[in-house]
Amino acid sequence: MNLTRSERWKLSALVLAMVVGAVFVAVRVATNERETVDARQSESVVESSLDSPPELAWTADVRALSDNEGDVLLSMPSLLDQYYGYSGLLDAGTVLIAATGYPLPAVDLSSGAEVGAVTLVGVDPDDGAPLWQTPIGRVSQCAPELESVLLACWGDRRVVSIDTSDGALVADVGTDFDVNGARIVDQTVFVSGNLDGTPVLTKGTPAAVESDFRRTFERSGDFSSVYVTPDRKSVMLTSRGDGTPQYIYTIFDLDSGAEVFAYEGDSVRSVGNGLWLSSVGSESGTVGTQNLLAADGSTIRAIPRPSYGASMYPSNPRNPPPMFLGDGAYDPDTGDELWRNPAVVQSEFSGTQSALVAVVDRVVIVTDPEAKTLTGLDIDDGAERWVTPWEDAYWVRSGLTDGKNFVFGDYQARIPSTPAPVRSDGRFRNPKVWIRGTWSWPRLRDT
């Protein structure tokens, strides 16, 4: 089976998330032929079949990506000014982006080693070879995802824009405020930060980040910050409260600057299609209570059994999936409750957590660490389809799906005598596959 470039980097993303010695486990969910996949599906999805085990394709080698002896791979896209002994890559579609730098000696890596100038490297997802190298100086972070061919990175009071197709340095501009975030949508740059505690937001071009506007927001208390979400056409101003609740959130319309609503609580985050999930009472480390809010901030409903959400999981449904909050499934447009099942959450020391690990076609896969099982729930009504034993259910991590199989990593790093994966009837099918070593990329065997 020949994979496209897109399919190869999606497979690469899986292995980046696996720890050393993690096991690749293929869970098969037998379903009908897959229909059109919703555009909002997770990036942990491949269009090719995962029936065949992956093989090692290539291993990243900093010596091949950097000309400077002593350089290391940094944890791209964040913590680029400190090195803690681990690294990462950023997916840019047709290329993977690595960051290299020289760390100063550190007695204890847990406290981080200071890194000076950073070089971004375009990596070919086919063989791991460097495509281009672009020095960008000292920066602290790059945007966590690409919303155009341009990538924004920042540090201190400067914003750097790089063309990821060829590594060209498009712009390197200074600011008079401390930058804490930058995003590029098409050719438009949004930069957020603060000036002596006053939140600042600018919109412009890579070479002139304030050419469209510069807005400042009233400072409240001893902490205020601003965050922009261009895809939601909104700006969130966060200020520290005077105790309980912890924060005051004010949502503004990105285009007009008009205030949409204000909310006092411990957290507010966007969910569904224009909805918001608010939390109160989470300062002690528990979940507290949660409410689902409409686009104007009005309360739609309380979430009966709140939990920390599973924001990242592979999803390849035949139709648009519901929104999973707490132990229930909800309509992402209206917030209407569709069904509830206690198996969607699990209790841990820090509070109730989501047990959701994947959505594969019409099956929602959840884990139960105490019972040591994986369970498949019907996506339409939450009814149990199958339950199958899994000794290491607590450590199901990351994953990929092709709409039929779910491939994931666990902690035991061994091949059990009982073969896997699991079909919709709960029976095992094929043996588990595993790959040792850090920075290993899988390639499916030709068939």
Side-chain angles (χ1 to χ4, degrees):
M1 166 173 28
N2 295 320
L3 297 181
T4 66
R5 178 182 292 264
S6 173
E7 292 164 352
R8 290 191 186 98
W9 66 250
K10 288 177 181 177
L11 285 172
S12 301
L14 168 65
V15 187
L16 294 178
M18 303 296 183
V19 297
V20 176
V23 178
F24 287 138
V25 185
V27 176
R28 179 181 177 86
V29 181
T31 57
N32 295 327
E33 201 63 31
R34 183 170 67 90
E35 299 174 2
T36 302
V37 177
D38 177 58
R40 293 171 296 151
Q41 69 183 23
S42 164
E43 289 186 352
S44 300
V45 174
V46 291
E47 290 78 21
S48 58
S49 173
L50 293 174
D51 284 316
S52 300
E55 293 180 333
L56 178 66
W58 54 271
T59 301
D61 185 352
V62 68
R63 292 169 296 182
L65 302 180
S66 175
D67 300 326
N68 301 319
E69 186 174 353
D71 273 6
V72 297
L73 284 173
L74 303 175
S75 59
M76 181 72 179
S78 60
L79 295 176
L80 299 182
D81 54 353
Q82 296 286 322
Y83 180 63
Y84 291 88
Y86 56 88
S87 48
L89 294 184
L90 177 66
D91 157 39
T94 59
V95 64
L96 300 172
I97 309 297
T100 65
Y102 187 85
L104 300 177
V107 177
D108 182 7
L109 277 180
S110 64
S111 61
E114 184 177 355
V115 176
V118 173
T119 297
L120 296 186
V121 183
V123 181
D124 191 327
D126 287 337
D127 56 13
L131 299 174
W132 48 260
Q133 296 176 331
T134 305
I136 60 173
R138 182 176 172 83
V139 296
S140 59
Q141 188 171 338
C142 295
E145 60 182 348
L146 264 77
E147 295 162 291
S148 71
V149 70
L150 300 182
L151 172 67
C153 303
W154 62 89
D156 299 325
R157 294 192 169 191
R158 56 189 288 259
V159 179
V160 181
S161 300
I162 302 96
D163 188 325
T164 59
S165 66
D166 57 9
L169 183 63
V170 176
D172 186 348
V173 299
T175 66
D176 64 351
F177 58 91
D178 297 321
V179 178
N180 58 29
R183 299 177 64 168
I184 303 178
V185 181
D186 296 326
Q187 297 293 318
T188 301
V189 181
F190 296 89
V191 181
S192 59
N194 71 83
L195 178 60
D196 298 328
T198 299
V200 179
L201 175 67
T202 70
K203 176 185 177 183
T205 65
V209 297
E210 300 183 18
S211 58
D212 286 354
F213 66 68
R214 173 180 174 137
R215 294 174 184 164
T216 58
F217 300 83
E218 182 178 355
R219 177 179 177 176
S220 176
D222 61 352
F223 167 82
S224 294
S225 65
V226 63
Y227 180 75
V228 60
T229 53
D231 55 333
R232 299 285 179 142
K233 298 292 184 182
S234 64
V235 177
M236 177 185 292
L237 175 67
T238 304
S239 302
R240 192 182 301 277
D242 57 2
T244 303
Q246 295 185 90
Y247 300 105
I248 301 171
Y249 299 90
T250 308
I251 311 300
F252 299 89
D253 180 82
L254 180 60
D255 295 326
S256 67
E259 180 178 326
V260 180
F261 70 89
Y263 178 81
E264 296 186 12
D266 296 306
S267 72
V268 170
R269 62 185 178 91
S270 60
V271 294
N273 299 326
L275 307 181
W276 301 85
L277 182 66
S278 64
S279 298
V280 177
S282 60
E283 66 270 17
S284 63
T286 59
V287 180
T289 62
Q290 291 180 332
N291 289 316
L292 187 60
L293 309 179
D296 61 0
S298 60
T299 300
I300 297 176
R301 65 174 63 252
I303 304 302
R305 191 179 179 190
S307 72
Y308 292 109
S311 57
M312 296 295 292
Y313 57 87
S315 175
N316 193 339
R318 282 193 290 161
N319 299 307
M323 174 175 56
F324 297 99
L325 303 173
D327 65 354
Y330 299 83
D331 186 293
D333 297 310
T334 65
D336 292 340
E337 182 180 297
L338 303 177
W339 53 263
R340 293 177 59 196
N341 188 319
V344 182
V345 295
Q346 59 191 28
S347 297
E348 296 188 6
F349 177 78
S350 58
T352 304
Q353 305 277 354
S354 173
L356 174 64
V357 292
V359 177
V360 183
D361 198 68
R362 309 307 299 165
V363 176
V364 179
I365 301 178
V366 297
T367 64
D368 187 336
E370 293 187 4
K372 299 181 179 180
T373 58
L374 300 179
T375 301
L377 306 178
D378 192 286
I379 197 172
D380 294 319
D381 57 15
E384 183 180 291
R385 281 195 179 187
W386 49 260
V387 178
T388 192
W390 196 258
E391 182 70 21
D392 211 20
Y394 180 81
W395 291 104
V396 173
R397 295 293 186 269
S398 304
L400 283 175
T401 181
D402 60 357
K404 182 174 61 175
N405 302 281
F406 171 43
V407 180
F408 61 91
D410 68 11
Y411 192 74
Q412 295 196 38
R414 62 180 176 81
I415 300 180
S417 57
T418 305
V422 180
R423 305 188 311 188
S424 60
D425 57 9
R427 290 184 297 161
F428 290 102
R429 179 173 176 269
N430 290 326
K432 183 185 296 187
V433 180
W434 61 300
I435 297 176
R436 290 188 182 274
T438 306
W439 298 107
S440 300
W441 276 257
R443 172 181 292 139
L444 295 184
R445 292 188 178 124
D446 293 336
T447 57

